Amino acid sequence: MNLKNYTKPFEVNGKVFDFHNETIVMGILNVTPDSFSDGGKFNVVESAVIHAKKMVADGARIIDVGGESTRPGHAAVGLEEELSRVIPIIEALSRELDVAISIDTYKAKVAEASIRAGAHIINDVWGARREPAIAEVAARLGVPILLMHNKKETKYTDFWLDVRRDLEESVQIAKDAGVPNHHIWLDPGIGFGKTIHHNILMMQHLSDLVEMGYPVLLGTSRKSIVGKVLDLPVSQRLEGTAATVSFGIMQGCHMMRVHDVKEIVRTVRMMDVLTSKKKYIER
């Protein structure tokens, strides 16, 4: 695991996130009516908070709040609509839970309002290439920014070299905005701008992504890479997701973004011991 640019643990409210010593699980909280897996279930503050509390109890260290679906064919959401979805929930989560909160958005204004409402991390599915001002928000407010690989078309000349070039552009945008190295995190963007074959290739290049020297988040939960390989619907993709998580840990990934927190936390804890990231203590 090469974290040449990673200089210190991330800390929220006195809680330390040390990527050297544990794989962090991020629980997904979609507050949208149209997400591919759980759309419409948690877009009311009360139900969102209940679900977030369960994910934290099950071991999630970060709750990722998203107000606009990014699934293929999703309907775009306006600024005010997205703000009305996420801000009340972030405010409620920050009041009722002692947990790190990330905002899943590519809009600079949503990111800034969310951080001011109590979120701690920006998770941008366009890697600061859609709205570069989002990197300025991260720099000014002193928070980490997750830069995900994404593109509008599934056309590549040399797949990994093209992906790396795109991510290097995202990293440069963040650096130019003043984001320090230890606040730059990467995401391979499984399921975004990629065919099923590209997604498999991306998984096979995870160690190369880790070698870029930044903490890496892997998001494969219930996605089409699992559904197509195993020929299973969304509701039956847990085992396949666990396999991708285990593989990702073996390749050096540091965070896992998932729906099924309890099961994946168990998977992660077992893998962390087997890979010597954590030491087993006799009970």
Side-chain angles (χ1 to χ4, degrees):
M1 188 186 341
N2 179 13
L3 286 181
K4 58 189 176 187
N5 290 319
Y6 175 65
T7 57
K8 58 185 178 181
F10 175 56
E11 187 173 322
V12 173
N13 297 334
K15 292 188 176 181
V16 175
F17 296 75
D18 190 343
F19 300 119
H20 292 287
N21 296 319
E22 66 174 322
T23 302
I24 305 297
V25 173
M26 171 189 283
I28 299 169
L29 184 60
N30 287 318
V31 293
T32 62
D34 58 345
S35 290
F36 82 97
S37 177
D38 50 9
K41 288 186 178 180
F42 309 117
N43 56 338
V44 176
V45 173
E46 184 179 356
S47 59
V49 170
I50 290 171
H51 185 57
K53 285 182 176 179
K54 182 180 186 306
M55 290 194 289
V56 171
D58 287 340
R61 299 289 307 281
I62 304 172
I63 300 297
D64 190 46
V65 179
E68 177 175 350
S69 174
T70 52
R71 65 177 175 78
H74 75 282
V77 174
L79 174 63
E80 295 305 321
E81 174 65 21
E82 188 174 350
L83 286 169
S84 71
R85 291 178 180 182
V86 301
I87 298 303
I89 288 172
I90 290 171
E91 290 175 340
L93 294 180
S94 64
R95 283 194 308 269
E96 299 193 36
L97 282 170
D98 184 18
V99 66
I101 302 166
S102 59
I103 175 62
D104 181 355
T105 188
Y106 58 85
K107 298 184 180 80
K109 290 183 178 179
V110 173
E112 178 155 4
S114 297
I115 298 300
R116 295 192 183 282
H120 310 93
I121 302 160
I122 297 169
N123 180 12
D124 182 2
V125 298
W126 281 101
R129 298 168 77 199
R130 182 86 169 258
E131 288 193 19
I134 200 169
E136 297 171 10
V137 173
R140 180 158 34 85
L141 299 183
V143 298
I145 182 168
L146 260 161
L147 303 169
M148 194 186 83
H149 179 263
N150 202 345
K151 62 188 300 181
K152 292 181 180 179
E153 297 181 335
T154 58
K155 293 182 180 179
Y156 299 86
T157 301
D158 183 304
F159 178 74
W160 166 242
L161 292 181
D162 289 353
V163 169
R164 187 175 69 184
R165 193 176 298 115
D166 291 342
L167 284 171
E168 286 172 346
E169 180 183 338
S170 290
V171 168
Q172 195 59 52
I173 291 170
K175 287 185 175 183
D176 289 346
V179 179
N181 277 334
H182 66 277
H183 276 176
I184 297 174
W185 302 350
L186 301 181
D187 181 333
I190 300 297
F192 292 82
K194 301 170 185 68
T195 65
I196 180 64
H197 299 291
H198 291 146
N199 287 323
I200 293 169
L201 271 177
M202 189 68 253
M203 292 292 295
Q204 293 168 345
H205 278 284
L206 285 176
S207 61
D208 295 315
L209 176 58
V210 171
E211 281 298 312
M212 289 180 68
Y214 300 92
V216 172
L217 177 138
L218 180 63
T220 54
S221 185
R222 303 180 184 175
K223 286 187 176 176
S224 61
I225 184 174
V226 176
K228 289 185 181 295
V229 169
L230 299 181
D231 192 24
L232 291 172
V234 170
S235 61
Q236 295 181 38
R237 297 177 185 176
L238 173 58
E239 298 90 346
T241 297
T244 61
V245 165
S246 299
F247 182 81
I249 292 171
M250 289 293 295
Q251 303 310 304
C253 295
H254 312 94
M255 294 169 278
M256 301 293 157
R257 181 179 182 274
V258 301
H259 299 86
D260 304 290
V261 171
K262 179 176 70 175
E263 294 84 355
I264 299 303
V265 164
R266 291 174 178 174
T267 301
V268 161
R269 287 175 179 168
M270 190 73 201
M271 288 299 301
D272 279 356
V273 169
L274 295 177
T275 57
S276 299
K277 189 180 279 189
K278 267 190 178 296
K279 184 177 181 179
Y280 172 68
I281 300 173
E282 193 80 37
R283 291 181 175 83

